[in-house]
Amino acid sequence: MDLQLSGRVAVVTGASKGIGLAVTRTLLDEGVRVVAASRKSTPELAALGGANLLHVPVDLMDPEAPGQVVARAVAEFGGLDILVNNAGGPPPGVSLPRFGFLTPDDADWRAMFEFNLFSVVRAVRAAIPAMLARGGGSIVNVSSGGAKLPAPMNVDYNAAKAGLNNLTKALSEEFAPQGIRVNTLSLGPVRTAWWTEEGGAADIIAAQAGTDRDSVMNSVAPEMMKLSTGRLVEPQEVADVIALLASPRSASTTGADFAVDAGFLKEI
């Protein structure tokens, strides 16, 4: 199916690995010109290099960074059609999961909201004028099933993602008449660096459960989270849905939330 994306311009945050890398690769394959934002590049991102890819090294914890990325997209590629707010999860230097409400302090809460909500607010604020100048666009915000299924684990993260979901609905209501569609993806556990890196979620849960990291990813986590598919989500599976939401093929889809979560959310 032709997604009708060729020649469009996208900004993808958190683009150097995991979901962001898969999204960047997928959009490039569809003929999109992509501005990839991340604190640093990776060999995998560099391997995608070409005339249609621009990497902008930024720390999205910097309030000026989201606007700078959008400005580079407009300056280098002439405008902006797609914004994928993928960067999120543990702020730089933080490992999740964290257990219990009393564990994160004020600084932890501020950092979590800065990375998972305020950086999105700033990116959208910068992107909307550029999209309106092109007659519309698509914004995809990567959220979490934890926003709808709160638990005494990662309380600050889940609260930030719940705020992101609310923001998405409000943006959709205001800007859909002007041609800007805004949607969310509610993810379950995805096989990314958050889980797989040393000291990441798999290691933390392994220490709690008295097992090893591979067992956590292959069986313990799927069982603990009651994943219907019995496995973690793959980044490409998320990227495919994002590409469809970015496409004019989804012209009547806005204010919607898509669960790409291996069956994590059971509620109707």
Side-chain angles (χ1 to χ4, degrees):
M1 180 173 67
D2 180 8
L3 293 181
Q4 302 173 6
L5 288 170
S6 183
R8 296 177 186 266
V9 179
V11 163
V12 179
T13 66
S16 63
K17 54 189 176 181
I19 296 168
L21 180 67
V23 172
T24 298
R25 181 187 300 112
T26 301
L27 293 180
L28 287 170
D29 287 345
E30 293 293 330
V32 178
R33 292 170 288 176
V34 180
V35 176
S38 62
R39 282 181 295 154
K40 56 185 179 181
S41 186
T42 58
E44 294 81 7
L45 180 61
L48 301 178
N52 283 347
L53 177 63
L54 172 67
H55 176 246
V56 179
V58 291
D59 181 354
L60 292 173
M61 299 287 280
D62 176 359
E64 302 299 320
Q68 292 169 354
V69 175
V70 171
R72 288 293 302 276
V74 174
E76 298 290 335
F77 294 135
L80 182 65
D81 305 292
I82 300 161
L83 171 62
V84 180
N85 287 306
N86 164 70
V94 174
S95 294
L96 295 180
R98 283 195 289 230
F99 301 95
F101 168 74
L102 296 177
T103 301
D105 59 18
D106 280 4
D108 294 323
W109 277 87
R110 280 192 292 269
M112 191 65 71
F113 270 67
E114 193 72 43
F115 192 44
N116 287 279
L117 182 59
F118 299 153
S119 68
V120 174
V121 170
R122 293 166 182 138
V124 172
R125 185 185 293 138
I128 283 176
M131 289 183 173
L132 291 176
R134 304 266 277 196
S138 174
I139 299 172
V140 182
N141 295 326
V142 176
S143 188
S144 168
K148 296 182 178 181
L149 192 63
M153 179 175 71
N154 300 334
V155 177
D156 48 350
Y157 172 76
N158 292 338
K161 290 301 190 182
L164 178 60
N165 289 2
N166 190 290
L167 171 68
T168 298
K169 287 284 190 180
L171 290 169
S172 174
E173 183 71 13
E174 181 173 356
F175 292 102
Q178 299 173 70
I180 298 177
R181 298 180 298 106
V182 194
N183 297 285
T184 54
L185 268 68
S186 285
L187 304 185
V190 183
R191 194 178 286 270
T192 64
W194 178 351
W195 283 83
T196 61
E197 283 184 347
E198 186 175 351
D203 285 343
I204 294 172
I205 294 172
Q208 290 276 332
T211 185
D212 60 87
R213 63 205 317 269
D214 289 338
S215 295
V216 167
M217 288 185 287
N218 294 331
S219 60
V220 174
E223 291 171 9
M224 177 180 69
M225 302 182 76
K226 299 179 180 178
L227 303 183
S228 302
T229 64
R231 63 173 178 83
L232 273 62
V233 180
E234 295 296 334
Q236 188 60 51
E237 295 169 333
V238 181
D240 290 341
V241 179
I242 289 175
L244 182 59
L245 287 173
S247 165
R249 294 278 191 175
S250 299
S252 291
T253 303
T254 191
D257 178 68
F258 287 76
V260 186
D261 66 355
F264 170 65
L265 286 172
K266 314 295 186 187
E267 291 73 19
I268 297 174

